[in-house]
Amino acid sequence: MAHDLAGPPLPVPRGPLSEAVRAYLEDAGPLPAAEAAASVSPYGDDLQLALYLCYELHYRGFAGVSPDREWDPALLRVRAALEDRFLTALRADTPVHASLDDALAEILVEPVEGTGVSHFLAAEGEAWQLREYAAQRSLYHLKEADPHAWVLPRLWGRAKAAMAAVEFDEYGGGRAERVHARLFADLMEDLGLDTGYGRYLDATCAQALAVVNMMSLFGLHRSLRGALVGHFAAVEITSSPGSRRLAQAMRRADAGPAAVHFYDEHVEADAVHEQVVRHEVIAGLLEEEPHLAADIAFGVDATGMLEDRLGERLLAAWRSGGSSLRIPLPERETVRAS
């Protein structure tokens, strides 16, 4: 996996908000008015890309953009307006369960006849669709666990210890070659994809950006620590069965050993993580802060809502024979050297 310390290049704008934020990052123009966020779709390309540009400054940044922009007061004011638009929509549009127990109970039971993306890929997915899926997911998986690490300083006691234990596994248990982001880069190499960090940002659809942005939104705000824990629980609880199907899809398509290994690893690891998150992270957090139960349920349900939106986008494109990406992939790309 290539490590570009300068960060990836800035993406092509998708509307006036993202165009103005990009220009500001390049010292080439003013920021948009904060009020402009109220007039665009909260889930659309323009707002989601503008928000992603703001959030990525807290991770690896962008080539040619000063690291000082991370805490630029004017940019933070615009980011707050974008966040408010996005979070308000999430709260309005997410069907939230009446209780946390109900929210968790629903995702703990696999439907008899599943219809999601992993079911489709396992049963009939073709190699080009697996490549598209990996490209869409790469914006998260090449920084896997990083958005969740933000919550650690906001927890204590049982919840903190258990969350740190799960994150330690996500980061390879101290072994660089086992870091999950590294394993995903190996998967991408097997699929003939460029493993450069942020390489597929221009190609990624708004629905996939929204999933990644939600993680950063929850992680970067202490007031949303319960929602972040709920999101993390939803990911870990649903990961093992979904990963089993995706490993099957990779085997059926003869995608390569690293592609299969990534999902096999998650079948085993996340089955354990699910237990730790439910019985230690959530239980420990509620032991200290029982009032966060509703926020945890919101995090679980908002994750499901955005993942459903992404799944609908992918499946609608694939079932019609079209690409799910904004820019279709070439047949095979030059893979960067490690």
Side-chain angles (χ1 to χ4, degrees):
M1 179 170 59
H3 298 284
D4 187 351
L5 298 181
L10 285 163
V12 175
R14 304 186 190 181
L17 282 175
S18 53
E19 183 174 19
V21 171
R22 173 180 164 145
Y24 186 75
L25 294 178
E26 294 178 303
D27 297 317
L31 283 166
E35 298 77 19
S39 62
V40 299
S41 168
Y43 307 114
D45 280 297
D46 193 22
L47 184 139
Q48 289 299 325
L49 181 59
L51 195 51
Y52 187 91
L53 289 171
C54 295
Y55 284 148
E56 195 56 34
L57 301 175
H58 296 289
Y59 297 100
R60 298 196 197 179
F62 294 98
V65 176
S66 170
D68 292 336
R69 288 296 194 199
E70 180 181 7
W71 299 110
D72 182 295
L75 186 60
L76 290 175
R77 283 192 292 273
V78 170
R79 192 189 92 183
L82 299 171
E83 288 177 323
D84 181 67
R85 177 73 168 141
F86 184 34
L87 182 58
T88 298
L90 283 178
R91 292 198 184 280
D93 299 337
T94 298
V96 179
H97 284 83
S99 72
L100 174 56
D101 286 343
D102 289 345
L104 292 174
E106 182 167 317
I107 59 175
L108 279 165
V109 178
E110 279 272 288
V112 176
E113 294 184 7
T115 57
V117 171
S118 64
H119 292 87
F120 173 87
L121 292 175
E124 56 185 295
E126 299 179 20
W128 68 273
Q129 293 162 334
L130 295 175
R131 295 179 77 238
E132 287 199 355
Y133 184 74
Q136 297 268 23
R137 291 295 195 183
S138 67
L139 293 189
Y140 167 64
H141 280 302
L142 291 179
K143 62 182 177 195
E144 185 169 339
D146 289 350
H148 307 128
W150 296 115
V151 83
L152 283 169
R154 287 86 188 265
L155 304 175
W156 58 90
R158 283 173 62 196
K160 184 192 224 46
M163 189 73 186
V166 174
E167 288 286 270
F168 183 65
D169 282 352
E170 301 280 355
Y171 291 131
R175 296 173 57 186
E177 73 277 8
R178 292 184 60 82
V179 172
H180 285 190
R182 168 72 255 184
L183 297 181
F184 193 79
D186 294 342
L187 171 150
M188 294 177 75
E189 288 184 8
D190 267 4
L191 294 175
L193 295 169
D194 189 327
T195 63
Y197 183 85
R199 164 67 179 80
Y200 296 106
L201 176 53
D202 280 328
T204 301
C205 66
Q207 291 86 343
L209 286 181
V211 171
V212 181
N213 283 338
M214 179 183 61
M215 300 181 200
S216 297
L217 170 65
F218 291 169
L220 286 167
H221 291 269
R222 190 172 68 86
S223 62
L224 294 171
R225 62 195 178 281
L228 189 283
V229 167
H231 157 73
F232 193 60
V235 170
E236 296 300 327
I237 289 170
T238 59
S239 174
S240 187
S243 292
R244 184 176 291 106
R245 289 187 288 271
L246 290 169
Q248 177 185 336
M250 294 294 175
R251 286 189 176 90
R252 194 172 56 78
D254 196 22
V260 172
H261 175 67
F262 177 81
Y263 289 111
D264 277 345
E265 170 74 12
H266 282 70
V267 171
E268 296 183 15
D270 291 345
V272 175
H273 293 171
E274 176 254 311
Q275 296 290 320
V276 175
V277 172
R278 282 200 297 129
H279 297 300
E280 295 298 324
V281 179
I282 291 179
L285 180 57
L286 292 178
E287 191 175 79
E288 300 283 351
E289 301 185 277
H291 63 280
L292 291 180
D295 286 350
I296 299 172
F298 168 64
V300 170
D301 291 328
T303 300
M305 190 270 286
L306 288 186
E307 286 288 352
D308 286 347
R309 286 174 56 88
L310 174 58
E312 289 166 6
R313 157 75 184 226
L314 300 181
L315 293 176
W318 293 340
R319 284 173 174 152
S320 69
S323 173
S324 68
L325 296 165
R326 300 180 73 252
I327 304 170
L329 297 172
E331 185 172 335
R332 203 162 179 85
E333 300 201 81
T334 301
V335 178
R336 300 186 185 190
S338 298

